[in-house]
Amino acid sequence: MSIEARLAELGVILPEAPAPAANYVPWVRTGNLLFVSGQIAANADGFITGKLGENMTAEDGAIAAKACAISLLAQLKAGCDGDIERLVRVVKLIGFVNSTPDFGDQPKVINGCSDFMVEALGNKGRHSRSAVSAASLPFGVAVEIEGIFEIS
């Protein structure tokens, strides 16, 4: 099954790739790797804001992380000249969680992205990753995730 068909089966239509918010590019392709800049948690209603351990649960954060995953795939598609089927595999995800000093469930939050990648992409979605705390993130978002992808 194609990636686009699987996404449609999951009820996900990739949005246009978000434009960068500052002086950087949304992705860089070098050789067969595509490095996607950090994608912040947002949905149709705007930014998903909050601080884990203060006014958000790990489950809320996982929803925000899934939104980041969808933005990552939108950037991946743009970086592949519109052909997301060029994806060979997700190599690594780096997740940042806006959380209180005593919050320790960053991995559970970033699972929202990881689980979606595997659900949508199968074995191509299996990856290495980091899940770290941040004292704050741009615009007060709950989660930001960047990714490295192998493409053909």
Side-chain angles (χ1 to χ4, degrees):
M1 176 180 293
S2 75
I3 293 170
E4 295 273 9
R6 179 63 182 145
L7 289 169
E9 191 175 83
L10 293 171
V12 174
I13 298 171
L14 294 180
E16 289 297 314
N23 187 18
Y24 64 91
V25 294
W27 50 265
V28 170
R29 185 174 22 197
T30 182
N32 64 340
L33 294 177
L34 188 76
F35 293 79
V36 177
S37 296
Q39 300 298 297
I40 58 177
N43 59 26
D45 297 324
F47 295 131
I48 303 171
T49 60
K51 186 172 281 288
L52 281 290
E54 183 177 286
N55 58 6
M56 292 184 84
T57 66
E59 293 76 21
D60 296 331
I63 292 167
K66 179 180 177 183
C68 293
I70 293 168
S71 291
L72 283 165
L73 292 180
Q75 292 292 1
L76 169 67
K77 183 175 178 178
C80 289
D81 302 318
D83 184 8
I84 198 168
E85 304 306 325
R86 290 179 54 196
L87 174 68
V88 174
R89 73 169 305 142
V90 180
V91 176
K92 183 164 185 169
L93 299 175
I94 304 98
F96 303 92
V97 180
N98 184 355
S99 56
T100 60
D102 60 336
F103 184 81
D105 283 335
Q106 290 82 3
K108 288 182 182 177
V109 171
I110 302 304
N111 279 347
C113 181
S114 294
D115 292 347
F116 179 76
M117 290 294 189
V118 173
E119 182 180 19
L121 306 172
N123 283 333
K124 290 181 178 185
R126 298 198 180 280
H127 54 272
S128 64
R129 77 163 200 207
S130 300
V132 299
S133 180
S136 67
L137 290 172
F139 310 110
V141 296
V143 179
E144 179 175 353
I145 303 174
E146 63 181 80
I148 303 169
F149 302 87
E150 181 183 357
I151 60 173
S152 62

